[in-house]
Amino acid sequence: MKYLTFVLILPVALLVTSCNKSNGDENKDLAGEVAGTYKGTLTDNGLKDAIDATADIIKIDEKTVEIHCYSSVLDTTFVMELFENGDSTMLCNIGDDFKNMYGHERMKDHHMMGDPNWQNWTHHMDEEHDQGDEHYGGFNKVDHSFTYKFVMDTALTLQFNGKRQ
């Protein structure tokens, strides 16, 4: 009888355990992977020389970071959401910054509906953006670098390029 009970309970336990396992994407700590200090330069076509700059990437939660970029010509702090894209981690605005940049609201809480791929870049682009929407930076996981283009006005952009320290 004990053997029969064991034989019947084991498959049910394995089924329940396997159904509760996820693919791991929704638990991935993208912010933890990129948090740190990046030393680099700011460049622009109008600048004679590159300017030394630093970007401190601070983890807010697993999918969100605060970016503080500073140099002798720039000191700014902003918050971005992270999206996985192969060997890169891409950035996108959130909240009012998203609406101001793209002219429409994001789908509210689409990631809360149980979609395990909500932090995938292609999924984000399909769900949240119109063709031609521009994004300004991201992280390269292979060489541990960070790039971001600051659009100051229509005539001036500054490009940060840095390596994680």
Side-chain angles (χ1 to χ4, degrees):
M1 185 64 145
K2 287 181 183 180
Y3 178 73
L4 182 60
T5 303
F6 178 75
V7 169
L8 292 174
I9 292 177
L10 182 61
V12 172
L14 289 173
L15 179 65
V16 169
T17 303
S18 66
C19 288
N20 286 333
K21 287 188 178 184
S22 65
N23 64 8
D25 288 343
E26 66 272 12
N27 297 323
K28 193 161 193 172
D29 186 4
L30 296 178
E33 291 177 0
V34 300
T37 298
Y38 294 75
K39 298 278 187 183
T41 58
L42 285 172
T43 57
D44 180 62
N45 293 341
L47 292 174
K48 207 175 214 185
D49 297 312
I51 297 169
D52 290 337
T54 301
D56 292 324
I57 312 302
I58 301 161
K59 176 181 171 178
I60 294 175
D61 62 31
E62 286 79 13
K63 312 291 193 229
T64 312
V65 292
E66 177 183 275
I67 300 170
H68 179 207
C69 189
Y70 51 96
S71 72
S72 61
V73 297
L74 177 75
D75 189 346
T76 188
T77 302
F78 52 101
V79 175
M80 301 289 269
E81 190 168 21
L82 302 171
F83 296 88
E84 194 161 36
N85 187 29
D87 62 2
S88 298
T89 300
M90 307 302 288
L91 298 167
C92 191
N93 298 91
I94 57 175
D96 289 340
D97 290 338
F98 183 91
K99 185 175 182 180
N100 293 335
M101 177 67 69
Y102 301 111
H104 61 88
E105 298 274 347
R106 287 183 61 178
M107 290 176 49
K108 293 195 186 248
D109 297 327
H110 72 282
H111 58 277
M112 301 297 241
M113 295 179 189
D115 186 346
N117 295 315
W118 75 272
Q119 215 61 39
N120 175 279
W121 182 246
T122 303
H123 179 79
H124 169 73
M125 293 300 290
D126 289 344
E127 293 285 321
E128 303 292 350
H129 289 283
D130 297 328
Q131 189 171 14
D133 282 355
E134 189 171 357
H135 289 80
Y136 297 97
F139 299 88
N140 181 314
K141 294 188 240 182
V142 175
D143 68 3
H144 307 287
S145 64
F146 169 57
T147 61
Y148 195 83
K149 181 170 71 171
F150 296 94
V151 179
M152 311 309 278
D153 60 41
T154 56
L156 177 63
T157 61
L158 297 173
Q159 177 75 36
F160 175 83
N161 295 301
K163 292 270 192 177
R164 189 174 184 178
Q165 300 301 296

